[in-house]
Amino acid sequence: MKKMRLGTLTLWLLIKRVIPCTLKYHRMQYHYYNQHLQEGKIVYMTKITIHNAKQGYRPVESPYMIRLNIRTQIAQLQDEPSDFPKYAFSLAPFPNLYQHAGNTEKFLDVIGRILAVSNTARVLTSSGTLKWKRIIHLGDLSGNMIELSLWGPRALEFQGESVYNIGQKNHVIAIFVGTSMKCIKESSYFLSGTSACRWYINENDIPEIKIFQKSLPTIPDQAVKKIDLQSADDIEKHIEQTTCLQLKDIDPFDKLV
């Protein structure tokens, strides 16, 4: 939803991943932007510039993005319009997710019932660094299941224990936006959620979640399960420590299985 006039471009904007664009922060104005651009606020912006959207990892389907500058002015609306859209996503069916493996053109948005959730654990990535990770299993209405891995701050921010407790007696329906499809060894597919990922859980004002809920039995046929995710520290504890002198005395022929 936008409003334009000659001479100055103005824009109605909801800061909740709803914008059909990407915001570029000017380093000198970071604190100013951070103060005014907060999730859930509807703001009035002037003195902005419009550019072509970046080629990779687009959060929404739009050919353009907004770039803020040192002259950009932002003001919060006092009387927020009640019909202003609160969410923006383009849900991808589970069977179609696999064709996006390795594709960096745009992020993927999915909806599903949370079937299982893990603890957070620091794991060793393929690049050799330690990162926080949490695993979530999502199911669609056709019985398909996909694994979602949340990384870094997103793994810590997700309220896994709360979701598990609610899921013992009720359905937990979630929309995850800003994910990407990954594949390991051409056989193991999973969704990955990093800094761009957000989620909306059991939000009654989202029609897609309400429709999903109504398609399920009133009483859940199964509770949300726990996944035990081992940390790199736990795995390291079980590694046998051997000195070079001890290795010298080991007969490899006796150790062959």
Side-chain angles (χ1 to χ4, degrees), residues 23 25 52 95 142 162 235 256:
L23 298 179
Y25 280 72
N52 290 325
S142 299
S162 176
I235 296 174
L256 290 175

Side-chain angles (χ1 to χ4, degrees), residues 108-240:
L108 301 170
D109 307 332
V110 296
I111 184 173
R113 175 187 172 190
I114 295 182
L115 305 175
V117 61
S118 79
N119 55 296
T120 53
R122 288 208 316 159
V123 301
L124 194 65
T125 66
S126 57
S127 61
T129 59
L130 287 172
K131 282 189 177 181
W132 288 104
K133 180 182 180 181
R134 187 192 293 274
I135 294 175
I136 299 168
H137 287 174
L138 289 173
D140 66 5
L141 293 173
S142 299
N144 300 305
M145 194 274 287
I146 191 72
E147 181 177 296
L148 168 65
S149 295
L150 295 179
W151 295 92
R154 290 296 178 260
L156 299 172
E157 292 167 4
F158 187 84
Q159 300 295 318
E161 197 65 31
S162 176
V163 167
Y164 173 79
N165 292 333
I166 295 173
Q168 298 311 295
K169 295 182 179 180
N170 299 283
H171 299 295
V172 183
I173 311 304
I175 291 178
F176 288 88
V177 300
T179 71
S180 54
M181 195 68 182
K182 304 292 184 180
C183 178
I184 299 178
K185 297 180 180 179
E186 300 183 356
S187 59
S188 180
Y189 292 86
F190 66 95
L191 288 172
S192 177
T194 54
S195 59
C197 182
R198 298 290 297 168
W199 49 83
Y200 310 109
I201 299 176
N202 285 353
E203 297 282 357
N204 292 325
D205 58 342
I206 300 180
E208 288 81 358
I209 289 183
K210 291 181 67 175
I211 293 172
F212 200 108
Q213 285 273 19
K214 290 180 179 179
S215 301
L216 296 171
T218 305
I219 301 177
D221 53 350
Q222 61 179 7
V224 172
K225 298 178 180 179
K226 277 189 175 180
I227 302 172
D228 183 22
L229 182 60
Q230 279 194 310
S231 68
D233 296 333
D234 293 334
I235 296 174
E236 189 175 344
K237 290 177 182 177
H238 295 88
I239 297 177
E240 183 179 351

Side-chain angles (χ1 to χ4, degrees), residues 13 15 23 25 31-41 43 45 68 74:
L13 175 64
I15 308 302
L23 298 179
Y25 280 72
H31 295 294
Y32 174 77
Y33 297 151
N34 195 45
Q35 177 184 358
H36 291 85
L37 298 180
Q38 297 177 14
E39 184 172 345
K41 285 185 176 181
V43 297
M45 304 174 63
L68 309 184
I74 305 172

Side-chain angles (χ1 to χ4, degrees), residues 91-101 108 140 144 181:
L91 299 177
F94 281 22
N96 295 352
L97 293 174
Y98 305 98
Q99 68 188 38
H100 295 284
L108 301 170
D140 66 5
N144 300 305
M181 195 68 182

Side-chain angles (χ1 to χ4, degrees), residues 17 21-24 52-65 102-108 178-180 182 196:
R17 200 188 170 273
C21 59
T22 301
L23 298 179
K24 290 278 188 175
N52 290 325
K54 59 182 181 180
Q55 296 300 311
Y57 295 111
R58 296 186 181 186
V60 291
E61 292 286 353
S62 176
Y64 306 109
M65 70 179 185
N103 189 342
T104 61
E105 181 179 345
K106 64 179 182 178
F107 287 111
L108 301 170
T179 71
S180 54
K182 304 292 184 180

